[in-house]
């Protein structure tokens, strides 16, 4: 009986480690020197970018939403000018969700610091016609060497013809 309970206990620990593996790996700090050598002269490196498009039919109309995710790693000490960010929105590409945070390196991984202030302003262009493009501006907090910036936003696309092309 004792041998069986040991095996069950080991099995539970092994299962827990497998389940927690993505969280453990995500919390590990990235080696900045590897990225500095690979991308010399760059202040930041794009770690991950993806867009997930969902197309549904609601009340006989297409409903198109594009969820975007961007994650960058700061590899330069002089990066305060990289803290400002913006996302554009319009009647054809309406932002329905926006969140941003900085993952600041700590002794045991990262501490998340959320962006709390988003300002919307007119997007100015030197053109002769008016459009309704606006810019949502924000600043990532505590951007420093080794930090990661994470931005998630969702566009609701009102016209299918404005959907960007994709290659599979």
């Amino acid at each position: 009986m004792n041998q069986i309970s040991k095996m069950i206990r080991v099995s539970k620990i092994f299962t827990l480690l497998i389940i927690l593996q993505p969280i453990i790996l995500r919390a590990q700090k990235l080696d900045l020197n590897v990225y500095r050598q690979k991308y010399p002269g760059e202040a930041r490196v794009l770690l991950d970018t993806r867009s997930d498009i969902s197309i549904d039919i609601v009340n006989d109309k297409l409903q198109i939403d594009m969820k975007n995710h961007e994650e960058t790693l700061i590899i330069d000490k002089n990066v305060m000018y990289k803290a400002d960010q913006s996302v554009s929105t319009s009647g054809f590409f309406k932002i329905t969700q926006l969140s941003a945070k900085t993952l600041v390196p700590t002794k045991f991984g990262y501490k998340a610091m959320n962006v709390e202030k988003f300002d919307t302003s007119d997007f100015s262009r030197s053109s002769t016609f008016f459009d309704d493009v606006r810019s949502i501006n924000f600043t990532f907090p505590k951007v420093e060497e080794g930090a990661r910036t994470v931005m998630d936003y969702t566009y609701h696309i009102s016209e299918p013809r404005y959907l960007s092309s994709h290659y599979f």
Side-chain angles (χ1 to χ4, degrees):
M1 184 73 173
N2 195 12
Q3 184 71 12
I4 293 174
S5 63
K6 281 184 183 180
M7 287 176 53
I8 291 173
R9 190 175 320 141
V10 169
S11 174
K12 286 180 181 180
I13 291 171
F14 183 71
T15 303
L16 183 63
L17 287 175
I18 289 175
I19 291 171
L20 293 177
Q21 181 184 11
I23 296 169
I24 294 168
L25 291 176
R26 194 65 144 161
Q28 291 179 350
K29 292 184 188 175
L30 300 172
D31 187 2
L32 297 179
N33 290 325
V34 170
Y35 289 98
R36 284 188 189 115
Q37 289 173 356
K38 195 171 183 179
Y39 306 102
E42 296 296 327
R44 61 184 175 182
V45 176
L46 184 63
L47 295 176
D48 185 20
T49 181
R50 60 181 178 264
S51 295
D52 298 321
I53 300 170
S54 65
I55 302 173
D56 295 317
I57 298 176
V58 177
N59 296 330
D60 294 330
K61 293 184 180 181
L62 286 177
Q63 174 146 354
I64 304 170
D65 292 310
M66 181 171 27
K67 293 181 182 180
N68 298 285
H69 173 83
E70 296 176 16
E71 185 173 347
T72 62
L73 172 66
I74 307 301
I75 60 175
D76 189 10
K77 291 179 183 176
N78 304 316
V79 292
M80 277 314 294
Y81 64 94
K82 299 291 183 186
D84 294 332
Q85 189 67 259
S86 66
V87 178
S88 59
T89 184
S90 72
F92 295 120
F93 287 90
K94 184 176 181 175
I95 293 282
T96 58
Q97 181 272 332
L98 172 61
S99 66
K101 64 184 172 186
T102 304
L103 300 175
V104 180
T106 64
K107 198 173 189 177
F108 300 107
Y110 291 94
K111 177 183 177 187
M113 300 188 73
N114 293 325
V115 171
E116 297 189 12
K117 184 179 178 188
F118 296 91
D119 295 318
T120 304
S121 63
D122 288 331
F123 186 80
S124 60
R125 288 188 219 176
S126 59
S127 62
T128 57
F129 67 93
F130 172 79
D131 61 14
D132 65 343
V133 177
R134 301 196 36 106
S135 179
I136 301 173
N137 308 301
F138 58 93
T139 301
F140 284 108
K142 195 116 167 89
V143 173
E144 61 186 40
E145 181 182 33
R148 293 169 22 199
T149 60
V150 180
M151 180 171 56
D152 292 295
Y153 57 99
T154 302
Y155 280 121
H156 175 73
I157 302 171
S158 63
E159 286 289 328
R161 63 183 157 197
Y162 296 128
L163 193 60
S164 60
S165 60
H166 283 70
Y167 300 96
F168 298 97

